[in-house]
Amino acid sequence: MSAAAACATAADAARAAVCRDGEAAPHLKLISIFTIFATSMVGMSSPVLVARFFKTNQSLYNNALVVIKCFAAGVILATSLVHVMPDAFDALADCHVATKHPWKDFPFAGLVTLIGTILALLVDVAASSHVEHHVSYKALEGVEEEKELVGDGYGGCDDDVERVVRVEEEVARLKQRLVSRVLEIGIIFHSVIIGVTMGMSQNVCTIRPLVAALAFHQIFEGMGLGGCVAQAGFRFGTMAYMCLMFSVTTPMGIILGMILFSATGYDDSNPNALIMEGLLGSLSSGILIYMALVDLIALDFFHNKLMTSNLGLKKVSFLALTLGSASMSLLALWA
């Protein structure tokens, strides 16, 4: 080993010793728990409140929902590709993991990301088929009942067309609710991983900047999920529950990480912790990539009648998508 390399190694070891503070780290984590909870609540509730503000003007309300959702899609796509996936690959490429079998023999991060994408597709297809079948069956029952009740006064084709439109709207609304729930599952995986990693860390030099960076991270990620929830049209109680679930996952992850460190002595550089972080992060990344590209971006830009008939709205939506992606990507400099 050269003298320069030896000096660098000694300097790194000295810096690590200074940064590792078992007394200061828990205090910083407690501050981060309350900070991240508050910013998560603000982030997720803001799109819902903005959408409700425009609700008196139906046309403006519909346009606002589309733009908010496109911003959300950009945030979620950047979250999966710029934050979650690289962290998962780095965790499984760490020298404590990648030098051992079977981790050095196969790119497991890519494989689990693929599995996450296919699982999201499977859930999407199965649930969509169930929703469409259920709503179509209810609509057919309604038509038969209306024919029996009205008799000769039944409006025929006009009534059928109107009912088909209502069925399509109901299917779209239920589909959006399904997307919001699956999306929250993927984001919760990611949030728990972030929390556990911070909770297990004893490096105050890492925790200090992470508190501020994760606060902004949760605001943008919350806006992404909140935009989808706003368009789904959930009842107030359901929206409040989903907002609470998103807000508590990272703080609960931090608490879980602190408990794991106390019980096992494992910190965030332990091989077992790195493997768990890599596998769960890869699975979360696959789910989020599928949801962002298929159920958010493609659905709005290619199948949304409101956007296809309004070129101005399409341009604004694309700018919102770009802004959401850029905002979340920029945060990768700090978290």
Side-chain angles (χ1 to χ4, degrees):
M1 182 184 290
S2 67
C7 288
T9 304
D12 290 342
R15 186 175 183 278
V18 171
C19 288
R20 190 177 179 85
D21 188 339
E23 292 184 5
H27 297 296
L28 287 172
K29 291 172 192 175
L30 287 175
I31 293 170
S32 70
I33 286 171
F34 293 105
T35 304
I36 290 171
F37 176 79
T39 53
S40 299
M41 290 284 285
V42 170
M44 186 165 174
S45 60
S46 56
V48 178
L49 295 175
V50 168
R52 285 180 174 271
F53 177 76
F54 290 113
K55 202 164 187 177
T56 51
N57 186 327
Q58 192 61 39
S59 175
L60 193 59
Y61 175 71
N62 291 333
N63 291 344
L65 280 180
V66 171
V67 173
I68 289 170
K69 189 181 172 189
C70 288
F71 179 86
V75 168
I76 290 161
L77 186 61
T79 297
S80 59
L81 292 175
V82 183
H83 291 261
V84 187
M85 183 186 285
D87 288 347
F89 274 74
D90 287 347
L92 294 182
D94 187 273
C95 61
H96 294 100
V97 176
T99 54
K100 300 177 182 178
H101 295 288
W103 309 105
K104 70 175 184 178
D105 303 322
F106 192 82
F108 282 97
L111 175 65
V112 177
T113 301
L114 174 63
I115 291 171
T117 305
I118 293 173
L119 282 175
L121 172 63
L122 178 64
V123 171
D124 200 6
V125 169
S128 297
S129 299
H130 174 74
V131 165
E132 289 171 7
H133 174 75
H134 177 72
V135 173
S136 299
Y137 179 75
K138 288 283 187 184
L140 184 61
E141 277 189 335
V143 169
E144 295 301 327
E145 288 176 5
E146 190 172 328
K147 283 180 179 179
E148 290 176 6
L149 290 172
V150 178
D152 294 337
Y154 177 66
C157 291
D158 290 340
D159 286 346
D160 287 344
V161 169
E162 186 179 339
R163 189 173 291 276
V164 166
V165 170
R166 288 204 302 269
V167 168
E168 288 179 350
E169 290 175 351
E170 179 69 10
V171 168
R173 185 174 61 84
L174 291 176
K175 169 74 173 176
Q176 186 58 45
R177 290 185 175 184
L178 170 68
V179 167
S180 299
R181 292 187 185 280
V182 176
L183 195 59
E184 185 167 41
I185 291 170
I187 289 175
I188 281 174
F189 266 130
H190 170 49
S191 298
V192 169
I193 293 165
I194 291 174
V196 170
T197 303
M198 179 186 276
M200 294 177 73
S201 177
Q202 300 302 302
N203 189 327
V204 294
C205 299
T206 301
I207 296 171
R208 281 197 191 101
L210 265 182
V211 174
L214 284 180
F216 285 102
H217 179 280
Q218 291 300 101
I219 286 176
F220 284 118
E221 203 169 72
M223 289 174 70
L225 182 58
C228 299
V229 170
Q231 193 177 39
F234 288 108
R235 291 191 299 272
F236 176 77
T238 305
M239 286 193 290
Y241 172 74
M242 293 180 75
C243 183
L244 181 64
M245 283 298 295
F246 170 73
S247 301
V248 301
T249 47
T250 302
M252 289 300 292
I254 294 172
I255 294 170
L256 178 60
M258 294 171 71
I259 292 170
L260 284 173
F261 176 77
S262 299
T264 64
Y266 289 175
D267 62 10
D268 56 340
S269 63
N270 182 272
N272 292 330
L274 289 169
I275 290 169
M276 183 183 298
E277 178 185 349
L279 293 179
L280 290 178
S282 299
L283 186 68
S284 174
S285 176
I287 293 171
L288 294 178
I289 288 171
Y290 174 87
M291 300 303 293
L293 290 175
V294 177
D295 282 334
L296 299 179
I297 296 174
L299 194 65
D300 271 342
F301 280 91
F302 296 107
H303 304 290
N304 189 320
K305 294 177 183 177
L306 189 63
M307 192 182 290
T308 53
S309 62
N310 189 336
L311 183 60
L313 179 61
K314 184 175 285 189
K315 290 178 180 178
V316 172
S317 298
F318 186 80
L319 286 174
L321 174 69
T322 306
L323 181 62
S325 301
S327 302
M328 200 65 185
S329 297
L330 189 62
L331 279 177
L333 291 171
W334 299 281

XYZ file of all heavy atoms in Angstrom, residues 203-297:
696
model
N -24.034 7.651 12.453
C -23.139 8.647 11.862
C -23.845 10.003 11.826
O -24.697 10.245 10.974
C -22.744 8.195 10.448
C -21.646 9.049 9.849
O -21.561 10.240 10.102
N -20.798 8.420 9.048
N -23.486 10.890 12.753
C -24.169 12.189 12.829
C -23.853 13.069 11.623
O -24.641 13.948 11.262
C -23.805 12.934 14.136
C -24.345 12.199 15.347
C -22.299 13.143 14.256
N -22.694 12.847 10.999
C -22.340 13.615 9.796
C -23.265 13.263 8.626
O -23.459 14.078 7.721
C -20.892 13.337 9.388
S -19.683 13.811 10.639
N -23.837 12.061 8.652
C -24.801 11.653 7.628
C -26.211 12.070 8.012
O -26.984 12.517 7.158
C -24.758 10.116 7.452
O -23.435 9.732 7.071
C -25.737 9.659 6.388
N -26.554 11.950 9.282
C -27.929 12.206 9.736
C -28.293 13.686 9.621
O -29.393 14.022 9.184
C -28.123 11.713 11.178
C -27.948 10.194 11.247
C -29.502 12.095 11.701
C -27.916 9.645 12.659
N -27.374 14.594 10.003
C -27.689 16.033 10.007
C -28.202 16.527 8.653
O -29.286 17.112 8.581
C -26.458 16.833 10.447
C -26.226 16.831 11.948
C -25.262 17.943 12.366
N -24.859 17.766 13.756
C -23.707 17.248 14.144
N -22.828 16.838 13.234
N -23.414 17.123 15.419
N -27.447 16.345 7.556
C -27.961 16.827 6.264
C -29.183 16.049 5.781
O -30.015 16.579 5.052
C -26.774 16.641 5.306
C -25.902 15.621 5.947
C -26.083 15.792 7.413
N -29.290 14.782 6.218
C -30.424 13.967 5.786
C -31.753 14.475 6.340
O -32.785 14.335 5.677
C -30.224 12.508 6.223
C -29.601 11.547 5.211
C -29.534 10.156 5.807
C -30.363 11.536 3.906
N -31.740 15.051 7.530
C -32.993 15.539 8.128
C -33.637 16.583 7.221
O -34.829 16.495 6.877
C -32.742 16.132 9.534
C -34.018 16.753 10.082
C -32.240 15.044 10.489
N -32.836 17.576 6.799
C -33.370 18.629 5.921
C -33.721 18.070 4.540
O -34.776 18.376 3.975
C -32.353 19.752 5.783
N -32.822 17.245 3.994
C -33.049 16.707 2.648
C -34.292 15.820 2.596
O -35.093 15.901 1.656
C -31.815 15.914 2.200
N -34.476 14.978 3.627
C -35.645 14.094 3.645
C -36.938 14.857 3.876
O -38.003 14.424 3.427
C -35.468 13.021 4.727
C -34.513 11.880 4.382
C -34.424 10.899 5.544
C -34.937 11.159 3.123
N -36.856 15.996 4.560
C -38.051 16.825 4.741
C -38.570 17.280 3.372
O -39.764 17.162 3.079
C -37.725 18.025 5.622
N -37.671 17.788 2.519
C -38.070 18.186 1.167
C -38.469 16.978 0.332
O -39.412 17.036 -0.473
C -36.935 18.954 0.492
C -36.764 20.348 0.991
C -35.750 20.661 1.883
C -37.626 21.358 0.588
C -35.594 21.951 2.363
C -37.481 22.658 1.060
C -36.458 22.953 1.947
N -37.748 15.879 0.503
C -38.044 14.636 -0.209
C -39.478 14.192 0.064
O -40.235 13.843 -0.857
C -37.044 13.571 0.252
C -37.242 12.224 -0.368
N -38.200 11.341 0.090
C -36.621 11.597 -1.389
C -38.143 10.228 -0.620
N -37.197 10.370 -1.528
N -39.889 14.224 1.325
C -41.235 13.795 1.701
C -42.305 14.762 1.200
O -43.421 14.353 0.876
C -41.336 13.633 3.223
C -40.531 12.466 3.780
C -40.938 11.125 3.215
O -40.274 10.584 2.329
N -42.027 10.588 3.697
N -41.968 16.058 1.137
C -42.919 17.028 0.596
C -43.243 16.695 -0.856
O -44.409 16.596 -1.253
C -42.369 18.468 0.709
C -42.428 18.947 2.158
C -43.167 19.419 -0.184
C -41.818 20.324 2.383
N -42.212 16.485 -1.678
C -42.431 16.217 -3.096
C -43.074 14.848 -3.319
O -43.963 14.692 -4.159
C -41.109 16.316 -3.870
C -40.651 17.721 -4.101
C -39.462 18.186 -3.573
C -41.426 18.606 -4.836
C -39.044 19.486 -3.775
C -41.015 19.921 -5.050
C -39.821 20.360 -4.522
N -42.622 13.854 -2.561
C -43.210 12.520 -2.711
C -44.670 12.536 -2.256
O -45.536 11.895 -2.865
C -42.406 11.504 -1.894
C -42.573 10.083 -2.386
C -41.564 9.149 -1.749
O -41.704 8.839 -0.546
O -40.626 8.719 -2.450
N -44.952 13.277 -1.176
C -46.329 13.426 -0.709
C -47.197 14.124 -1.732
O -48.356 13.748 -1.954
N -46.648 15.151 -2.412
C -47.390 15.827 -3.474
C -47.698 14.870 -4.617
O -48.769 14.931 -5.224
C -46.591 17.025 -3.982
C -46.511 18.170 -3.001
S -45.417 19.502 -3.538
C -46.379 20.185 -4.890
N -46.747 13.968 -4.898
C -46.981 12.979 -5.944
C -48.142 12.061 -5.624
O -49.051 11.869 -6.441
N -48.139 11.513 -4.430
C -49.224 10.624 -4.017
C -50.522 11.401 -3.826
O -51.601 10.942 -4.226
C -48.833 9.909 -2.715
C -49.842 8.907 -2.166
C -50.141 7.814 -3.173
C -49.325 8.296 -0.862
N -50.436 12.600 -3.244
C -51.619 13.417 -3.010
C -52.320 13.801 -4.305
O -53.553 13.884 -4.357
N -51.540 14.033 -5.382
C -52.135 14.350 -6.670
C -52.983 13.221 -7.212
O -54.066 13.444 -7.777
N -52.518 12.006 -7.030
C -53.293 10.833 -7.483
C -54.528 10.615 -6.615
O -55.602 10.287 -7.117
C -52.410 9.587 -7.454
S -50.986 9.704 -8.523
N -54.378 10.805 -5.317
C -55.500 10.634 -4.394
C -56.586 11.675 -4.665
O -57.781 11.376 -4.618
C -55.006 10.732 -2.935
C -56.171 10.799 -1.959
C -54.118 9.533 -2.591
N -56.160 12.915 -4.997
C -57.121 13.988 -5.277
C -58.001 13.638 -6.472
O -59.207 13.883 -6.471
C -56.377 15.302 -5.532
N -57.389 13.042 -7.516
C -58.169 12.711 -8.712
C -59.052 11.488 -8.494
O -60.079 11.339 -9.160
C -57.237 12.473 -9.903
C -57.981 12.441 -11.229
C -57.066 12.290 -12.411
O -56.097 11.543 -12.347
N -57.358 12.983 -13.493
N -58.683 10.630 -7.557
C -59.461 9.408 -7.338
C -60.815 9.683 -6.695
O -61.720 8.855 -6.784
C -58.659 8.435 -6.467
N -60.961 10.834 -6.034
C -62.257 11.194 -5.462
C -62.664 10.355 -4.261
O -63.833 10.005 -4.107
N -61.707 10.014 -3.398
C -62.022 9.276 -2.172
C -62.851 10.141 -1.224
O -62.847 11.366 -1.312
C -60.737 8.870 -1.448
C -59.953 7.781 -2.116
C -58.757 8.051 -2.764
C -60.404 6.470 -2.096
C -58.024 7.051 -3.365
C -59.677 5.456 -2.692
C -58.488 5.751 -3.331
N -63.545 9.469 -0.303
C -64.217 10.197 0.773
C -63.162 10.833 1.689
O -62.017 10.385 1.737
C -65.118 9.260 1.573
C -66.340 8.769 0.795
C -67.317 8.081 1.740
N -66.713 6.917 2.378
C -66.716 5.693 1.865
N -67.291 5.465 0.698
N -66.156 4.701 2.517
N -63.577 11.847 2.447
C -62.639 12.580 3.296
C -61.928 11.645 4.285
O -60.723 11.750 4.505
C -63.364 13.687 4.061
C -62.476 14.430 5.022
C -61.584 15.391 4.567
C -62.505 14.141 6.387
C -60.752 16.065 5.454
C -61.677 14.809 7.277
C -60.807 15.774 6.801
N -62.702 10.720 4.887
C -62.112 9.797 5.862
C -61.024 8.924 5.247
O -59.973 8.698 5.862
N -61.251 8.445 4.023
C -60.260 7.607 3.336
C -59.008 8.412 3.005
O -57.883 7.934 3.182
C -60.858 7.019 2.040
O -62.059 6.315 2.362
C -59.883 6.075 1.372
N -59.213 9.655 2.517
C -58.063 10.503 2.200
C -57.249 10.816 3.450
O -56.011 10.813 3.418
C -58.532 11.797 1.526
C -58.977 11.610 0.091
S -59.182 13.174 -0.803
C -60.638 13.835 0.008
N -57.931 11.084 4.548
C -57.234 11.377 5.803
C -56.425 10.166 6.272
O -55.280 10.306 6.738
C -58.238 11.780 6.879
N -57.021 8.969 6.129
C -56.326 7.737 6.525
C -55.079 7.514 5.670
O -54.005 7.184 6.197
C -57.279 6.552 6.394
C -56.629 5.210 6.596
C -56.265 4.770 7.866
C -56.356 4.377 5.507
C -55.649 3.550 8.055
C -55.747 3.151 5.678
C -55.392 2.738 6.953
O -54.777 1.523 7.137
N -55.218 7.702 4.334
C -54.076 7.507 3.436
C -52.982 8.533 3.713
O -51.783 8.220 3.659
C -54.537 7.587 1.976
C -55.443 6.447 1.565
S -55.986 6.547 -0.152
C -54.487 6.033 -1.021
N -53.382 9.760 4.021
C -52.419 10.810 4.359
C -51.671 10.463 5.641
O -50.446 10.610 5.723
C -53.157 12.143 4.503
S -52.083 13.552 4.845
N -52.396 9.961 6.622
C -51.772 9.580 7.888
C -50.809 8.412 7.699
O -49.693 8.422 8.234
C -52.858 9.205 8.905
C -52.363 8.796 10.288
C -51.665 9.963 10.985
C -53.518 8.289 11.156
N -51.224 7.412 6.909
C -50.368 6.248 6.660
C -49.058 6.658 6.000
O -47.978 6.195 6.372
C -51.102 5.236 5.779
C -52.145 4.415 6.506
S -51.435 3.404 7.836
C -50.408 2.288 6.886
N -49.154 7.549 4.993
C -47.928 8.018 4.325
C -47.046 8.796 5.290
O -45.822 8.647 5.291
C -48.292 8.894 3.122
C -47.116 9.614 2.532
C -46.167 8.930 1.792
C -46.944 10.982 2.736
C -45.064 9.593 1.259
C -45.852 11.654 2.198
C -44.913 10.954 1.462
N -47.665 9.620 6.121
C -46.908 10.504 7.015
C -46.171 9.750 8.114
O -45.109 10.188 8.569
C -47.841 11.546 7.639
O -48.470 12.320 6.637
N -46.725 8.620 8.572
C -46.111 7.914 9.716
C -45.110 6.849 9.292
O -44.347 6.371 10.135
C -47.185 7.262 10.626
C -48.135 8.303 11.169
C -47.934 6.143 9.914
N -45.070 6.473 7.987
C -44.220 5.337 7.608
C -42.735 5.612 7.804
O -42.019 4.774 8.370
C -44.481 4.924 6.140
O -44.478 6.095 5.310
C -45.788 4.199 6.002
N -42.251 6.788 7.363
C -40.820 7.083 7.553
C -40.478 7.243 9.035
O -39.482 6.658 9.503
C -40.412 8.334 6.755
O -40.701 8.128 5.377
C -38.918 8.608 6.897
N -41.253 8.019 9.827
C -40.969 8.064 11.268
C -41.005 6.686 11.937
O -40.153 6.381 12.784
C -42.085 8.970 11.816
C -42.424 9.873 10.680
C -42.305 9.001 9.467
N -41.982 5.845 11.549
C -42.030 4.491 12.112
C -40.814 3.678 11.684
O -40.292 2.867 12.451
C -43.312 3.790 11.667
C -44.585 4.325 12.317
S -44.577 4.164 14.124
C -44.670 2.392 14.307
N -40.360 3.895 10.449
C -39.145 3.220 9.989
C -37.931 3.640 10.808
O -37.076 2.807 11.139
N -37.846 4.938 11.142
C -36.734 5.428 11.973
C -36.765 4.754 13.350
O -35.734 4.292 13.865
C -36.802 6.961 12.120
C -36.576 7.638 10.766
C -35.758 7.457 13.138
C -36.824 9.139 10.767
N -37.958 4.688 13.943
C -38.102 4.039 15.255
C -37.727 2.559 15.163
O -37.019 2.030 16.036
C -39.544 4.209 15.774
C -39.834 5.686 16.061
C -39.774 3.367 17.028
C -41.287 5.993 16.340
N -38.172 1.894 14.096
C -37.835 0.479 13.905
C -36.323 0.298 13.751
O -35.740 -0.635 14.315
C -38.559 -0.056 12.667
C -38.291 -1.523 12.287
C -38.699 -2.463 13.421
C -39.038 -1.882 11.001
N -35.682 1.200 13.014
C -34.228 1.133 12.851
C -33.499 1.309 14.162
O -32.500 0.617 14.437
N -33.978 2.228 15.001
C -33.365 2.429 16.319
C -33.520 1.188 17.192
O -32.591 0.805 17.923
C -34.011 3.642 16.995
C -33.726 4.964 16.291
S -34.693 6.356 16.926
C -33.933 6.620 18.518
N -34.699 0.549 17.096
C -34.931 -0.686 17.880
C -34.008 -1.803 17.382
O -33.407 -2.538 18.188
C -36.408 -1.111 17.778
C -37.299 -0.088 18.493
C -36.620 -2.498 18.382
C -38.787 -0.289 18.253
N -33.885 -1.934 16.068
C -33.013 -2.970 15.498
C -31.562 -2.766 15.921
O -30.852 -3.722 16.245
C -33.111 -2.964 13.965
C -34.370 -3.578 13.357
C -34.402 -3.338 11.850
C -34.433 -5.080 13.649
N -31.110 -1.501 15.914
C -29.735 -1.221 16.336
C -29.535 -1.572 17.807
O -28.524 -2.162 18.190
C -29.375 0.246 16.091
C -28.009 0.608 16.585
C -26.878 0.243 15.869
C -27.841 1.292 17.792
C -25.606 0.557 16.331
C -26.586 1.610 18.261
C -25.464 1.240 17.525
N -30.516 -1.223 18.635
C -30.411 -1.518 20.071
C -30.414 -3.017 20.338
O -29.701 -3.512 21.216
C -31.570 -0.864 20.829
O -31.533 0.532 20.685
N -31.227 -3.756 19.554
C -31.377 -5.193 19.805
C -30.241 -6.022 19.210
O -29.843 -7.047 19.777
C -32.716 -5.677 19.237
N -29.722 -5.595 18.047
C -28.749 -6.429 17.330
C -27.361 -5.819 17.236
O -26.381 -6.532 16.993
C -29.238 -6.705 15.893
O -29.300 -5.463 15.179
C -30.608 -7.354 15.895
N -27.274 -4.499 17.391
C -25.993 -3.830 17.190
C -25.674 -3.593 15.733
O -24.623 -3.040 15.401
N -26.590 -4.019 14.827
C -26.383 -3.801 13.394
C -26.554 -2.314 13.087
O -27.514 -1.697 13.522
C -27.409 -4.565 12.555
C -27.232 -6.057 12.522
C -28.159 -6.865 11.890
C -26.134 -6.667 13.120
C -28.023 -8.239 11.848
C -25.987 -8.032 13.094
C -26.929 -8.827 12.464
O -26.781 -10.190 12.433
N -25.606 -1.744 12.328
C -25.824 -0.395 11.831
C -26.139 -0.469 10.343
O -26.326 -1.551 9.790
C -24.614 0.504 12.119
C -23.342 0.010 11.432
O -23.446 -0.915 10.593
O -22.266 0.546 11.732
N -26.214 0.694 9.679
C -26.643 0.706 8.283
C -25.605 0.154 7.320
O -25.873 0.038 6.118
C -27.052 2.133 7.852
C -25.938 3.143 8.090
O -25.046 2.866 8.896
O -25.977 4.218 7.459
N -24.404 -0.198 7.811
C -23.376 -0.795 6.953
C -23.264 -2.305 7.149
O -22.423 -2.946 6.525
C -22.012 -0.141 7.216
O -21.605 -0.388 8.559
N -24.127 -2.876 7.989
C -24.112 -4.317 8.209
C -24.574 -5.052 6.940
O -25.542 -4.622 6.290
C -25.032 -4.655 9.374
C -25.032 -6.138 9.688
O -25.807 -6.892 9.106
N -24.165 -6.556 10.592
N -23.926 -6.153 6.538
C -24.303 -6.860 5.309
C -25.770 -7.281 5.266
O -26.420 -7.153 4.226
C -23.377 -8.084 5.313
C -22.194 -7.664 6.108
C -22.708 -6.725 7.149
N -26.308 -7.775 6.389
C -27.719 -8.187 6.405
C -28.659 -6.998 6.177
O -29.657 -7.104 5.462
C -28.060 -8.852 7.742
C -27.352 -10.178 7.906
O -27.080 -10.866 6.932
N -27.031 -10.543 9.137
N -28.311 -5.845 6.778
C -29.118 -4.639 6.576
C -29.036 -4.173 5.132
O -30.041 -3.739 4.538
C -28.644 -3.532 7.514
N -27.845 -4.274 4.540
C -27.665 -3.860 3.143
C -28.457 -4.753 2.186
O -29.047 -4.273 1.213
C -26.173 -3.894 2.778
C -25.306 -2.810 3.411
C -23.834 -3.110 3.207
C -25.649 -1.442 2.830
N -28.482 -6.048 2.454
C -29.232 -6.988 1.604
C -30.732 -6.684 1.678
O -31.416 -6.636 0.654
C -28.946 -8.448 2.027
C -27.508 -8.826 1.656
C -29.938 -9.407 1.359
C -27.038 -10.136 2.254
N -31.228 -6.466 2.892
C -32.650 -6.138 3.049
C -32.984 -4.827 2.329
O -33.991 -4.722 1.625
C -33.002 -6.022 4.534
C -34.478 -5.748 4.789
S -34.836 -5.518 6.550
C -34.376 -7.110 7.211
N -32.110 -3.828 2.507
C -32.329 -2.534 1.858
C -32.325 -2.682 0.336
O -33.168 -2.113 -0.365
C -31.235 -1.547 2.285
C -31.353 -0.188 1.628
C -30.179 0.733 1.967
O -29.390 0.386 2.870
O -30.066 1.784 1.310
N -31.377 -3.476 -0.188
C -31.273 -3.655 -1.637
C -32.465 -4.367 -2.235
O -32.996 -3.957 -3.271
N -32.924 -5.440 -1.579
C -34.044 -6.225 -2.119
C -35.364 -5.459 -2.036
O -36.125 -5.409 -3.011
C -34.157 -7.555 -1.367
C -32.993 -8.534 -1.567
C -33.219 -9.809 -0.756
C -32.807 -8.887 -3.045
N -35.648 -4.854 -0.873
C -36.897 -4.095 -0.733
C -36.893 -2.853 -1.624
O -37.918 -2.496 -2.211
C -37.114 -3.696 0.729
C -37.460 -4.828 1.696
C -37.599 -4.295 3.112
C -38.744 -5.527 1.282
N -35.732 -2.197 -1.735
C -35.629 -1.031 -2.608
C -35.851 -1.391 -4.066
O -36.520 -0.661 -4.806
N -35.303 -2.527 -4.498
C -35.490 -2.972 -5.883
C -36.952 -3.290 -6.169
O -37.492 -2.925 -7.222
C -34.627 -4.218 -6.154
O -33.267 -3.933 -5.975
N -37.601 -3.973 -5.228
C -39.025 -4.299 -5.394
C -39.862 -3.018 -5.479
O -40.730 -2.880 -6.360
C -39.495 -5.149 -4.214
C -40.929 -5.696 -4.293
C -41.052 -6.726 -5.399
C -41.340 -6.309 -2.958
N -39.592 -2.075 -4.590
C -40.301 -0.798 -4.585
C -40.068 -0.045 -5.894
O -40.995 0.540 -6.470
C -39.828 0.048 -3.401
O -40.383 1.334 -3.439
N -38.841 -0.060 -6.370
C -38.505 0.630 -7.618
C -39.293 0.069 -8.794
O -39.835 0.824 -9.614
C -36.996 0.500 -7.891
O -36.659 1.077 -9.126
N -39.397 -1.253 -8.881
C -40.151 -1.875 -9.968
C -41.618 -1.479 -9.942
O -42.216 -1.177 -10.995
N -42.211 -1.470 -8.754
C -43.626 -1.081 -8.613
C -43.827 0.366 -9.045
O -44.738 0.689 -9.818
C -44.094 -1.274 -7.154
C -44.110 -2.760 -6.784
C -45.483 -0.671 -6.951
C -44.353 -3.027 -5.305
N -42.948 1.264 -8.575
C -43.106 2.690 -8.864
C -42.871 3.011 -10.340
O -43.555 3.867 -10.907
C -42.160 3.510 -7.991
C -42.440 3.489 -6.487
C -41.390 4.302 -5.738
C -43.831 4.029 -6.181
N -41.913 2.332 -10.968
C -41.661 2.562 -12.402
C -42.890 2.178 -13.215
O -43.327 2.922 -14.111
C -40.426 1.760 -12.871
C -39.142 2.375 -12.307
C -40.344 1.716 -14.402
C -37.905 1.526 -12.533
N -43.455 1.018 -12.916
C -44.656 0.584 -13.647
C -45.806 1.566 -13.433
O -46.456 1.996 -14.404
C -45.079 -0.812 -13.186
C -46.392 -1.240 -13.807
C -46.421 -1.866 -15.049
C -47.606 -0.980 -13.171
C -47.622 -2.225 -15.643
C -48.814 -1.329 -13.752
C -48.813 -1.961 -14.984
O -50.009 -2.293 -15.574
N -46.059 1.935 -12.184
C -47.188 2.808 -11.888
C -47.029 4.171 -12.553
O -47.984 4.732 -13.095
C -47.346 2.987 -10.373
C -47.583 1.705 -9.599
S -49.008 0.768 -10.146
C -50.334 1.856 -9.688
N -45.806 4.719 -12.508
C -45.578 6.050 -13.084
C -45.753 6.035 -14.600
O -46.441 6.899 -15.160
C -44.180 6.550 -12.715
N -45.147 5.063 -15.271
C -45.163 5.049 -16.735
C -46.505 4.588 -17.304
O -47.019 5.187 -18.255
C -44.042 4.143 -17.270
C -42.614 4.661 -17.076
C -41.612 3.617 -17.548
C -42.407 5.966 -17.836
N -47.076 3.532 -16.729
C -48.275 2.920 -17.313
C -49.555 3.558 -16.793
O -50.417 3.988 -17.575
C -48.287 1.397 -17.039
C -49.559 0.759 -17.584
C -47.057 0.748 -17.663
N -49.696 3.639 -15.481
C -50.969 4.065 -14.897
C -51.098 5.571 -14.713
O -52.199 6.066 -14.427
C -51.188 3.377 -13.543
C -51.661 1.941 -13.719
O -52.266 1.656 -14.764
O -51.404 1.117 -12.828
N -50.008 6.305 -14.841
C -50.085 7.756 -14.685
C -49.774 8.481 -15.997
O -50.629 9.155 -16.567
C -49.136 8.216 -13.572
C -49.411 7.663 -12.171
C -48.390 8.176 -11.173
C -50.814 8.038 -11.715
N -48.557 8.328 -16.510
C -48.140 9.085 -17.699
C -48.869 8.614 -18.957
O -49.514 9.410 -19.653
C -46.610 8.992 -17.885
C -45.911 9.658 -16.696
C -46.189 9.649 -19.194
C -44.407 9.501 -16.679
